[in-house]
Structures are given as C-alpha cells and as structure tokens.
Amino acid sequence: MASRRRIVVLNPNTNASTTAAMVALARQACGANFEVDGRTAPFGSSFIIDQQELETSATAVSEMAAQIAAERPRETGLIVAAFGDPGLEDARRSFAGPVVGIGEAGLLAGAFGGRPFSIVTSTAGLGSRIEKMADNLGLADQLRSVRQTPSHPSQLIGKPERLFAELLLAARQAVSLDGAQTIVIGGGPLARFAKDIELELGVPAIDPVSAAVKKLIYQWSDGQAMQPCPRM
C-alpha cells in the first residue's frame, strides 16, 4: 500500500503551542489523504516581530529542512509557517520536495482574480518585508495597505479576545478606508482568526496556513511551482 503524502509545518518560532495550532489548521485544509505533522524551531524567538528575529528564524528553518530531508524526503512537502517566509529560498534549494511559505501563499490567495487586498497583522516591524514580498510577486498594485494592531505583540500574548478585536478593527479599516476586497491575515499564529473576521466583515479573509496547504497540493497535482490556487 502506497504511503500518504506528508506535509510538515515548519514553525520558525520556538512556541510549540503555536506549532500545534498551525498543524491543526493544516489538517483541516488538506483532509485525510495527507499526513501532517509539525516541527518547532530549536532556537530563536517565541514570536517573530522584527527583521533581526526573522533572520535568526531563517537559519532554524534551514536546519529543520535539512533534518527532514535526511528522514524521508520522497512524497514530502514543507510549509514555512511564518508570514515573512524566513529561509524559504534556502529550503527550496536544499529540499527535493515542494516548499511553500505562508506569506507567499497568503498574498497570492488574497490577490487571486485581480482583487485589491490588505494585510492585517500584529507585527509592525515586518511591514516593509511584507510590502517587498508583494512587490516581488508582482502584486504591489493590488496591495492596498498593511495594517497593524494598535498594541505591540507583547501586550497581546495570552489575550486572544483583545487580539481578535484589534485585528478586526484593522481589517475593518482596510475595507472601509483602503478599499480592500480581501483581507489576508499576516501571521501563522493569527491564522485561526480568519473565519471569524470573514463572518464579521462579509469579505473573504485568508488564513495563510490553509492557503499554503492548498498551494502545496496544487503543486503536487500539476507541478506548477508559482501559480496561485483557487480559493476553496
């Protein structure tokens, strides 16, 4: 009997509970035909909020990808589960299977069909990084804004209700003030709020972890490395 294809969610931060939450989202997105597990960065920060921490996490991603390549690289795909996609290109160069970043996948899903979109996030220190990613993907003309929560991420740890309220406020402003027709949640740990934001605002809200899973499966299905997958 052939083994199931395997998806490994690489959490570039050191928070194991965040890894578990993102693995759960990935399993919901892909169904029972795939094996999904996660790896947590062995060093770095528990929450990536600036460029320096992003660079440290890139090294962790490269090390985790190398470890997985030594285990069972065939029929395995990797998801880099931090919105800045740390270490994504290095992992792609060293890993035989497909590698998808949640930032890239989220941006492509948000822009699908030519829609104007905005990013909402709690990590103000990565705003310029996100804008550069959009530009590199040819999506700068569709990106309406990158809006952050009013509070610093450190003030939101362990306060999910306050975090949701601030993300919702940022998303509402992106729609009403910036003209966004789609909201992309800018962070793996924040992805769980996408459905509730969509229900509140009545516009599509992209969970970037699920978008990455769909993109990975899409690549497996027809070999297209950089094409966006339709929103499901």
Side-chain angles (χ1 to χ4, degrees), residues 15-29:
N15 191 324
S17 63
T18 296
T19 306
M22 293 191 294
V23 166
L25 287 172
R27 285 178 177 152
Q28 291 173 6

Side-chain angles (χ1 to χ4, degrees), residues 167-168 170-173 175 183 196-204:
L167 286 171
L168 179 60
R172 196 182 302 280
Q173 291 172 336
V175 172
I183 298 298
D196 288 336
I197 288 175
E198 182 170 306
L199 287 172
E200 287 281 347
L201 298 184
V203 300

Side-chain angles (χ1 to χ4, degrees), residues 66-85:
Q67 291 171 354
I68 295 165
E71 296 167 6
R72 197 187 86 189
R74 292 179 61 84
E75 299 300 306
T76 297
L78 304 181
I79 292 176
V80 178
F83 205 77
D85 291 346

Side-chain angles (χ1 to χ4, degrees), residues 4-212:
R4 292 182 298 171
R5 281 177 166 165
R6 178 191 184 202
I7 297 172
V8 183
V9 178
L10 304 182
N11 179 10
N13 74 45
T14 60
N15 191 324
S17 63
T18 296
T19 306
M22 293 191 294
V23 166
L25 287 172
R27 285 178 177 152
Q28 291 173 6
C30 69
N33 292 328
F34 296 84
E35 173 188 345
V36 183
D37 59 36
R39 299 290 175 90
T40 304
F43 57 85
S45 171
S46 61
F47 198 82
I48 301 166
I49 62 173
D50 58 33
Q51 187 63 35
Q52 182 176 351
E53 291 175 346
L54 197 69
E55 291 171 2
T56 300
S57 69
T59 303
V61 166
S62 297
E63 291 190 9
M64 289 189 287
Q67 291 171 354
I68 295 165
E71 296 167 6
R72 197 187 86 189
R74 292 179 61 84
E75 299 300 306
T76 297
L78 304 181
I79 292 176
V80 178
F83 205 77
D85 291 346
L88 178 62
E89 294 307 322
D90 283 345
R92 281 178 170 158
R93 284 190 288 268
S94 64
F95 194 76
V99 183
V100 173
I102 68 168
E104 174 188 88
L107 290 168
L108 288 170
F112 187 74
R115 299 174 297 191
F117 68 98
S118 288
I119 313 294
V120 296
T121 183
S122 63
T123 51
L126 296 178
S128 60
R129 166 73 174 181
I130 293 170
E131 290 173 352
K132 183 177 180 180
M133 289 167 59
D135 187 50
N136 289 342
L137 290 168
L139 305 177
D141 290 344
Q142 290 172 250
L143 178 62
R144 293 295 180 263
S145 59
V146 179
R147 285 192 171 268
Q148 293 93 24
T149 56
S151 300
H152 188 273
S154 63
Q155 298 174 303
L156 300 171
I157 294 173
K159 301 175 181 177
E161 292 183 358
R162 178 177 172 184
L163 175 56
F164 172 71
E166 293 197 11
L167 286 171
L168 179 60
L169 173 62
R172 196 182 302 280
Q173 291 172 336
V175 172
S176 63
L177 301 179
D178 306 330
Q181 295 179 11
T182 307
I183 298 298
V184 179
I185 307 302
L190 309 177
R192 67 189 188 276
F193 296 114
K195 287 184 179 179
D196 288 336
I197 288 175
E198 182 170 306
L199 287 172
E200 287 281 347
L201 298 184
V203 300
I206 305 298
D207 153 13
V209 176
S210 297

